């Protein structure tokens, strides 16, 4: 019995302790939730470089920019334009010969593909020499092959930059070795790279980590290795980034560490540019090129902090347009011609996502065909327009000819009322004159009738006189 009482007391104590601790546990849980929510809030980003930019290639939206229009030295990022022009103007199977001039006036400590005077290879292989190990002599050889001289090729580079809308760019050479008058901006580098990415050959070349260069007339086969640690998979490389795709690195003491790369994952597709990053020395004596970790930070920022939102879809009508002279429905629904997917920060403010619908008219006249363009819709976030598409009728609406005729008659009368007033006045005047004429004719007939009656009376009197009769007033 005593044992049962003791057990009951112990159970009661446990219950009381649990109740007293519940608020503490709840507060701890709330604090943890608050910390998680705070972590989910988009954090500000600063890239440790002179200039940087992150662009969503699916939509073209600039996700992040830092000193995007500030003048920078591009170093070997210049080679993106050189490769673009070679692909646009050359034949990949044509043979390129390395001239003595292509090897002259180059910094002996600058990057090279080990080409020799008189060496011959296809233009395609020369582009691998230029873009993978960043061979400066390969750039000069390509320039001479495409334009006849390096000077003429540089002119082509500047003309193409102008065509692409580059407003802060001037090239002085095809390789990027430092010259004061050789400069660009990260915004212009994005424009040049976006143009180059339209070429499948370009994407294949710049995303190659190792390339077996065939034997030439002066060299045995050799292996070219990329300077881009983002795509070079190696156990000793801490900056290999599985989502990275190409593109190019660059360095001079004036330009700092530079890199341009793409990254793709789960439908998201980014282009990152980092220019003017530092170089540091690690404890083991290896160089740490800060452009690579900073580029990875840019990519992670895009993948972790943003998501796609389908703002409008052809599956969901978003407005109606009234239809006149319709044989059935008096309105037709309109839907977007295509999806508008926008990249927005996680946890975005829905009140800042705005649809701007512009109809061609509030009312259209039947017939209407499904697919007729009846307006546009634009999507903006926080005042920035992110996409626009047409609004299309989703169904046919037949025309009622009777309704159209009646409406047209009424409309004609409304628009030409003064003509009808004139007609009424003319009709009234005409009626007045007709009535006047009718009265005059009636009076004339009555007068003729009286004259006829008088004539007959006189003739009757004359007959009575002739036959001896007398009138009563003659007695």
């Amino acid at each position: 019995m005593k044992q049962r009482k003791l057990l009951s007391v112990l159970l009661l104590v446990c219950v009381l302790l649990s109740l007293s601790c519940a608020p503490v546990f709840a507060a701890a849980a709330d604090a943890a939730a608050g910390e998680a929510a705070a972590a989910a809030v988009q954090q500000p980003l600063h890239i440790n470089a002179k200039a940087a930019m992150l662009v969503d290639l699916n939509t073209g939206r600039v996700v992040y920019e830092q000193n995007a229009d500030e003048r920078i030295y591009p170093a070997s990022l210049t080679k993106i334009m050189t490769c673009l022009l070679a692909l646009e103007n050359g034949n990949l199977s044509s043979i390129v010969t390395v001239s003595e001039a292509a090897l002259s006036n180059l910094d002996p400590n600058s990057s090279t593909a080990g080409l020799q005077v008189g060496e011959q290879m296809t233009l395609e292989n020369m582009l691998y020499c230029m873009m993978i190990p960043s061979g400066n002599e390969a750039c000069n050889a390509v320039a001479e092959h495409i334009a006849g001289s390096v000077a003429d090729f540089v002119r082509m580079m500047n003309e193409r930059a102008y065509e692409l809308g580059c407003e802060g760019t001037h090239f002085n050479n095809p390789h990027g070795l430092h010259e004061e008058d050789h400069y660009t901006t990260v915004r212009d580098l994005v424009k040049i790279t976006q143009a180059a990415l339209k070429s499948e050959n370009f994407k294949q070349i710049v995303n190659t980590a190792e390339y077996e260069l065939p034997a030439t007339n002066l060299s045995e086969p050799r292996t070219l290795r990329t300077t881009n640690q983002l795509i070079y998979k190696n156990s000793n490389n801490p900056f290999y980034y599985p989502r990275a795709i190409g593109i190019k690195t660059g360095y001079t003491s004036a330009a700092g560490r530079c890199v341009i790369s793409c990254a793709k994952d789960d439908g998201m597709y980014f282009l990152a540019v980092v220019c003017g990053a530092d170089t540091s020395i690690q404890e083991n004596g290896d160089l740490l090129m800060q452009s690579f970790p900073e580029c990875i930070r840019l990519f992670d920022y895009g993948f972790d902090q943003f998501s796609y939102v389908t703002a409008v879809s052809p599956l969901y009508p978003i407005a109606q347009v009234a239809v006149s002279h319709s044989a059935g429905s008096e309105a037709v629904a309109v839907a977007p011609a295509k999806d508008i997917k926008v990249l927005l920060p996680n946890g975005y403010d829905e009140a800042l996502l705005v649809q701007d619908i512009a109809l061609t008219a509030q009312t259209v006249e039947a017939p209407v065909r499904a697919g007729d363009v009846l307006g546009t819709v634009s999507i903006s976030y926080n005042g920035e327009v992110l996409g626009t598409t047409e609004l299309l009728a989703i169904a046919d609406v037949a025309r009622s000819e009777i309704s159209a005729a009646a409406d047209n008659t009424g409309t004609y009368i409304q628009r030409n009322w003064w003509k009808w007033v004139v007609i009424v006045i003319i009709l009234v005047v005409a009626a007045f004159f007709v009535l006047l004429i009718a009265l005059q004719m009636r009076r004339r007939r009555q007068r003729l009738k009286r004259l006829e009656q008088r004539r007959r009376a006189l003739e009757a009197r004359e007959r009575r006189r002739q036959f001896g009769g007398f009138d009563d007033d003659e007695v």
Side-chain angles (χ1 to χ4, degrees):
M1 191 71 173
K2 290 182 179 180
Q3 290 179 349
R4 288 183 180 179
K5 289 183 178 180
L6 181 60
L7 182 59
S8 300
V9 171
L10 289 174
L11 289 172
L12 181 60
V13 170
C14 290
V15 170
L16 292 174
L17 286 174
S18 64
L19 291 174
S20 63
C21 291
V24 176
F25 292 146
D30 290 343
E35 291 176 1
V41 174
Q42 187 177 354
Q43 299 299 316
L45 178 69
H46 177 76
I47 296 299
N48 297 314
K50 185 175 182 180
M53 181 175 278
L54 182 68
V55 178
D56 173 27
L57 288 177
N58 287 326
T59 65
R61 184 188 179 196
V62 176
V63 179
Y64 175 85
E65 62 178 81
Q66 176 179 308
N67 301 327
D69 298 304
E70 186 172 330
R71 180 178 291 186
I72 58 167
Y73 299 117
S76 286
L77 302 188
T78 300
K79 295 179 173 74
I80 297 173
M81 174 62 88
T82 304
C83 188
L84 170 62
L85 286 177
L87 292 170
E88 289 180 338
N89 298 278
N91 183 338
L92 291 178
S93 61
S94 61
I95 301 300
V96 180
T97 302
V98 180
S99 69
E100 185 174 353
L103 294 170
S104 63
N105 299 321
L106 294 176
D107 184 342
N109 295 320
S110 66
S111 55
T112 176
L115 303 180
Q116 306 174 53
V117 176
E119 190 166 8
Q120 294 181 328
M121 65 182 68
T122 65
L123 175 60
E124 181 179 16
N125 285 332
M126 192 65 73
L127 293 181
Y128 277 100
C129 290
M130 184 176 76
M131 300 302 287
I132 296 180
S134 201
N136 292 323
E137 77 277 36
C139 295
N140 286 338
V142 168
E144 293 174 349
H145 177 75
I146 296 297
S149 69
V150 170
D152 286 339
F153 188 82
V154 169
R155 176 182 54 78
M156 291 174 63
M157 294 172 72
N158 287 312
E159 289 176 352
R160 190 71 175 98
Y162 178 80
E163 291 172 359
L164 293 173
C166 299
E167 298 179 352
T169 295
H170 183 267
F171 293 114
N172 244 22
N173 61 63
H175 41 68
L177 289 176
H178 182 68
E179 294 184 51
E180 285 297 322
D181 202 27
H182 187 93
Y183 55 82
T184 187
T185 67
V186 294
R187 195 181 306 279
D188 286 355
L189 284 172
V190 166
K191 294 176 181 178
I192 295 168
T193 305
Q194 285 178 312
L197 286 171
K198 294 177 182 178
S199 167
E200 292 299 323
N201 288 319
F202 177 85
K203 288 191 286 188
Q204 179 178 333
I205 292 170
V206 300
N207 196 40
T208 302
E210 288 190 351
Y211 182 71
E212 296 300 321
L213 187 67
T216 69
N217 59 323
L218 298 179
S219 176
E220 296 296 320
R222 59 198 128 165
T223 301
L224 305 177
R225 290 185 176 84
T226 184
T227 59
N228 186 358
Q229 294 186 30
L230 295 174
I231 64 171
Y232 188 70
K233 189 175 183 178
N234 185 290
S235 58
N236 297 321
N237 176 20
F239 301 122
Y240 172 69
Y241 193 71
R243 296 185 281 197
I245 304 171
I247 295 175
K248 192 70 190 75
T249 65
Y251 172 77
T252 65
S253 57
R257 296 292 174 182
C258 305
V259 65
I260 294 182
S261 183
C262 292
K264 184 181 289 189
D265 189 28
D266 195 25
M268 305 178 80
Y269 190 21
F270 293 109
L271 172 65
V273 185
V274 175
C275 291
D278 293 333
T279 305
S280 58
I281 301 178
Q282 302 182 81
E283 292 182 358
N284 61 3
D286 292 339
L287 293 179
L288 175 59
M289 305 174 190
Q290 293 289 350
S291 54
F292 297 121
E294 292 305 302
C295 189
I296 291 173
R297 286 183 64 216
L298 261 182
F299 283 142
D300 286 344
Y301 174 75
F303 287 118
D304 296 343
Q305 300 287 344
F306 292 81
S307 301
Y308 287 114
V309 174
T310 301
V312 293
S313 168
L315 299 177
Y316 302 102
I318 60 175
Q320 282 193 331
V321 179
V323 181
S324 63
H325 309 154
S326 165
S329 175
E330 295 181 352
V332 63
V334 292
K338 62 180 181 180
D339 287 334
I340 296 183
K341 291 185 177 181
V342 294
L343 190 71
L344 296 177
N346 296 334
Y348 69 94
D349 185 350
E350 293 185 5
L352 298 179
L353 187 63
V354 178
Q355 289 183 4
D356 182 15
I357 298 174
L359 300 176
T360 54
Q362 294 300 315
T363 302
V364 296
E365 186 174 335
V368 176
R369 299 285 179 262
D372 285 353
V373 178
L374 300 181
T376 60
V377 59
S378 297
I379 301 299
S380 61
Y381 183 75
N382 198 22
E384 178 187 0
V385 177
L386 302 179
T388 301
T389 188
E390 295 175 330
L391 290 175
L392 309 180
I394 67 170
D396 293 341
V397 179
R399 179 181 176 85
S400 170
E401 296 299 339
I402 296 175
S403 173
D407 192 53
N408 289 339
T409 301
T411 301
Y412 179 80
I413 293 173
Q414 290 177 0
R415 292 180 178 176
N416 300 276
W417 60 269
W418 60 273
K419 294 181 180 179
W420 292 99
V421 171
V422 172
I423 291 172
V424 169
I425 292 173
I426 292 173
L427 291 175
V428 170
V429 172
F432 174 78
F433 280 107
V434 169
L435 182 60
L436 182 61
I437 293 171
L439 290 172
Q440 290 178 348
M441 292 179 66
R442 182 181 179 186
R443 290 174 182 174
R444 183 179 178 185
R445 285 196 301 270
Q446 289 176 347
R447 187 169 58 252
L448 291 174
K449 185 178 180 179
R450 287 194 298 270
L451 291 174
E452 181 65 21
Q453 290 174 347
R454 185 178 297 174
R455 185 183 63 81
R456 289 179 180 176
L458 291 173
E459 287 179 352
R461 183 181 298 174
E462 184 65 27
R463 282 195 300 268
R464 285 194 296 270
R465 185 182 298 121
Q466 290 177 356
F467 293 104
F470 296 96
D471 293 334
D472 293 341
D473 56 357
E474 292 180 351
V475 178

